[in-house]
Amino acid sequence: MLSIKKNTSSLLKILLILGFGYFFWLMLKITLEYIPLKADTSFLMIKQTEVTERPEYLYFFYTHVYTSIFVLLSGFLAILRKNLGIKNFHRNAGKIYIFLILILAAPSGIYMGIFANGGLSSRISFVILGGLWWFSTFKAYRLARQKKFKAHKQWMWRSFAFTVSAITLRLWKVIIVSMFHPDPMDVYQVIAWLGWIPNILLVEYLIAKKHL
């Protein structure tokens, strides 16, 4: 029985790593579309009003794009700390993760949320997401400083739930567009909320069940 549980756990870890690796590669491909820096590439093609009327928009946009890919990677590597066997790896990966979110990724994301596609509903969602992302990460940082590591771990999982909304948002977009073919702006109104609410609800459930 123990052997079966151990094998199942190992299989789930492998599937998790492979799954994350695949989606991380997709996110990396999206990021690489914005190198070198241009004002009329991919997503920015539909944000020309902001690009032309708000000179600071591009700085916030590229700050968010370039840092978020490293946030995803450092956060996932910190989760795998027990399997890597590298001294202080978790702490160092966590420091990178926390620094990038608090100083760069979350503030720039909040700014971008103010001008999100899909109208007021989408903007409210993305601003809330950015605020919760920043707060949960800061809370995890404070708890680590206080050596309350169990609570720290739980808040880091909350933070990571918001982090992976970059992936789940795009998954929901593919699913909704393929099934219902809605107007593009209507899609934003839906995925703006679906991208992160199921994530945090799942984490809260696992915390409540003492799985995290």
Side-chain angles (χ1 to χ4, degrees):
M1 183 63 72
L2 289 175
S3 176
I4 293 175
K5 287 184 178 180
K6 185 176 181 180
N7 290 337
T8 301
S9 177
S10 298
L11 178 60
L12 289 175
K13 287 179 181 178
I14 292 172
L15 291 175
L16 178 64
I17 293 170
L18 292 175
F20 180 83
Y22 173 72
F23 289 112
F24 178 79
W25 169 242
L26 293 181
M27 294 299 298
L28 181 60
K29 288 176 64 178
I30 293 172
T31 303
L32 293 174
E33 293 176 5
Y34 299 103
I35 299 175
L37 189 153
K38 295 180 181 179
D40 58 353
T41 303
S42 193
F43 175 76
L44 289 174
M45 292 295 292
I46 60 173
K47 302 299 292 184
Q48 289 302 298
T49 299
E50 288 78 8
V51 169
T52 55
E53 295 181 359
R54 300 181 178 276
E56 76 280 3
Y57 183 86
L58 273 181
Y59 294 101
F60 282 99
F61 175 81
Y62 278 106
T63 295
H64 188 72
V65 168
Y66 291 156
T67 58
S68 292
I69 194 71
F70 292 103
V71 169
L72 269 172
L73 182 59
S74 59
F76 190 72
L77 290 177
I79 290 173
L80 290 179
R81 64 195 184 280
K82 294 180 180 178
N83 303 92
L84 296 173
I86 303 174
K87 186 177 181 181
N88 294 326
F89 185 88
H90 172 70
R91 178 180 294 181
N92 293 330
K95 285 180 178 178
I96 295 171
Y97 177 84
I98 289 171
F99 173 82
L100 290 177
I101 291 175
L102 295 183
I103 306 301
L104 298 170
S108 59
I110 292 170
Y111 174 87
M112 289 176 58
I114 297 172
F115 306 100
N117 295 331
L120 183 60
S121 175
S122 295
R123 293 169 185 170
I124 290 172
S125 176
F126 284 120
V127 170
I128 291 174
L129 169 59
L132 291 174
W133 194 25
W134 191 95
F135 175 79
S136 59
T137 306
F138 180 74
K139 184 75 173 178
Y141 165 74
R142 291 292 297 166
L143 289 165
R145 296 282 294 178
Q146 297 166 7
K147 301 188 183 303
K148 298 178 180 178
F149 295 116
K150 182 178 180 179
H152 161 76
K153 177 183 175 182
Q154 293 174 343
W155 278 97
M156 282 294 279
W157 271 107
R158 291 182 175 107
S159 171
F160 197 65
F162 298 127
T163 296
V164 296
S165 67
I167 294 174
T168 53
L169 179 148
R170 288 168 173 82
L171 282 175
W172 280 113
K173 182 179 179 180
V174 170
I175 293 170
I176 291 172
V177 169
S178 63
M179 291 181 64
F180 303 108
H181 310 288
D183 180 88
M185 291 301 120
D186 292 338
V187 175
Y188 277 103
Q189 293 181 9
V190 177
I191 64 173
W193 298 95
L194 274 180
W196 61 274
I197 289 180
N199 297 6
I200 192 62
L201 289 178
L202 174 60
V203 166
E204 292 297 341
Y205 171 80
L206 294 174
I207 290 173
K209 294 296 183 179
K210 303 187 185 303
H211 295 308
L212 295 177

